[in-house]
Amino acid sequence: MTRLLPHPLLFLALLAMWLLLNQSVSPGHLVLGAIVALVASWTLSVFRMERSGLRRPQAMVQLALRVLVDIFRSNLAVGTIILTGTRGGGRAGFMTIPLDLRSQGGLAMLAIILTATPGTLWMNYDAAKGELLLHVLDLVDEEHWTTLIKQRYERLLMEIFE
Amino acid sequence: MTAAPDLPAWAALLVAFLVVAGAAITLIGSAGLWRLDSFYARVHAPTLGATLGTGGILVGSMVCFSVLESRFVLHEILIAVFITVTTPITLMLLSRAALYRDRVEENPEVPASAFPETEPPSDPR
Amino acid sequence: MSALSASAPWATLLLGAALTLAQVMLTAAMALATLRILRGPRAQDRILGLDTLYVNTMLLFLTLGMREGSQHFFEAALIVALLGFVGTVAFAKFLMRGEVIE
């Protein structure tokens, strides 16, 4: 099983991509897409990616909704900063956050979430110390951002990936 | 006004709203790229266009073509997934390159002491 | 059925106006990104402007596709997004090391 289909999730994602690109679910495209996805996932197994088991679909849905809400909120916040030119007493700056999250998949996910929400940018992660260097556009107080990231994202990500 | 597809009124209103909202958010993002005063502040601005701006126009396009062709046209999801995954990578690489350049020049604006051992990433992979 | 479910001339007119407005705004966004490329001041600012320009161009293609009612613009938009990603990554690598291929 593992040798035939090294990354089942990747296989499904590639198959879905093929079907979307061809805009068809005909049996011919299903077979062709499955072949392409199978070969591609064999090829990618050369890279020996860390196999991340995903758990708790409920937590995944919760995280997705949370991120969606936060994207809307931070778009509004950053848009206000750009249009009014004020920073609400805050300033742009760097800060470090100690992370407990260790799995590569979880860290990659956190990087995407933090960078995709306007206003926060993942700069660097020190794997030895487990510290994250973050750039924040509206750095009112560091405590606020630390608790936000640890409570809101990291806990759920640790449930899903670890 | 020039050509526009013939949609039912509800779809036309929805698509018009989504497209204008997406374009306006993208414009605000690009305005931030112009207005904000330092590189590290400017990096945050294009994310507006890459998240909600792209999202609005893509959903508008999906609604438009789904109604126009009376079937689900969902391949815009591909662009959405692609932009969501790649924008963080480009911004992260770019800001790390900028950080590295500023550290080499010992620019006081960036934290040099936070990771004294951090050098240009020498990841062998 | 109600007036909302039928296609009406005013709705088509409104959609046309909305698409024009969106295209004007996206063009303005592209102009701002171009100004940032021209002004700099440093290489990383110019690359950031180029990346934004790519995303804005992709969105302009999508609105053009909606106006024409043609899905061929989708492929163009996908390719623009792909090229923008690869280009920006190559530039960022160049900034970090001074060479793209080692």
Side-chain angles (χ1 to χ4, degrees), chain A residues 71-130:
Chain A
I71 284 180
F72 273 89
R73 276 210 313 222
S74 54
N75 262 282
L76 199 66
V78 174
T80 317
I81 290 176
I82 291 173
L83 287 180
T84 60
T86 56
R87 296 248 173 87
R91 60 195 166 78
F94 294 92
M95 60 178 290
T96 52
I97 293 180
L99 288 182
D100 302 316
L101 190 67
R102 283 293 178 273
S103 94
Q104 282 184 20
L107 285 168
M109 204 65 214
L110 186 63
I112 289 179
I113 291 172
L114 286 182
T115 315
T117 49
T120 48
L121 184 68
W122 173 291
M123 298 285 298
N124 207 347
Y125 175 71
D126 188 333
K129 287 192 217 160

Side-chain angles (χ1 to χ4, degrees), chain A residues 15-135:
Chain A
L15 181 58
M17 188 185 86
W18 180 270
L19 294 177
L20 278 172
L21 268 178
N22 288 291
Q23 302 196 54
S24 149
V25 280
S26 66
H29 273 306
L30 273 173
V31 171
L32 206 55
I35 293 172
V36 170
L38 200 60
V39 173
S41 52
W42 285 341
T43 315
L44 282 176
S45 66
V46 171
F47 288 114
R48 298 175 200 285
M49 291 182 286
E50 180 194 4
R51 293 178 57 83
S52 53
L54 297 178
R55 274 174 294 278
R56 305 236 5 236
Q58 193 193 344
M60 285 159 75
V61 173
Q62 203 184 350
L63 184 70
L65 288 177
R66 217 171 251 192
V67 170
L68 200 63
V69 169
D70 282 2
I71 284 180
F72 273 89
R73 276 210 313 222
S74 54
N75 262 282
L76 199 66
V78 174
T80 317
I81 290 176
I82 291 173
L83 287 180
T84 60
T86 56
R87 296 248 173 87
R91 60 195 166 78
F94 294 92
M95 60 178 290
T96 52
I97 293 180
L99 288 182
D100 302 316
L101 190 67
R102 283 293 178 273
S103 94
Q104 282 184 20
L107 285 168
M109 204 65 214
L110 186 63
I112 289 179
I113 291 172
L114 286 182
T115 315
T117 49
T120 48
L121 184 68
W122 173 291
M123 298 285 298
N124 207 347
Y125 175 71
D126 188 333
K129 287 192 217 160
E131 273 185 347
L132 162 68
L133 180 65
L134 196 68
H135 187 268

Side-chain angles (χ1 to χ4, degrees), chain B residues 87-100:
Chain B
T87 308
I89 298 175
T90 51
L91 290 185
M92 222 184 293
L93 272 176
L94 196 55
S95 54
R96 284 177 63 162
L99 189 66
Y100 169 64

Side-chain angles (χ1 to χ4, degrees), chain B residues 7 13-14 19 40 54 83 93 97 106 108 111-112 117:
Chain B
L7 294 177
L13 284 174
L14 185 63
V19 167
Y40 296 101
T54 312
I83 291 287
L93 272 176
E106 297 180 347
E117 73 276 36

Side-chain angles (χ1 to χ4, degrees), chain B residues 7-20 60 63, chain C residues 3-4 10-12 14-15 18:
Chain B
L7 294 177
W10 66 269
L13 284 174
L14 185 63
V15 172
F17 170 74
L18 285 170
V19 167
V20 170
V63 172
Chain C
L4 275 181
W10 63 267
T12 307
L14 181 102
L15 185 56

Side-chain angles (χ1 to χ4, degrees), chain B residues 79-90:
Chain B
I79 293 189
V81 170
F82 188 75
I83 291 287
T84 314
V85 174
T86 56
T87 308
I89 298 175
T90 51

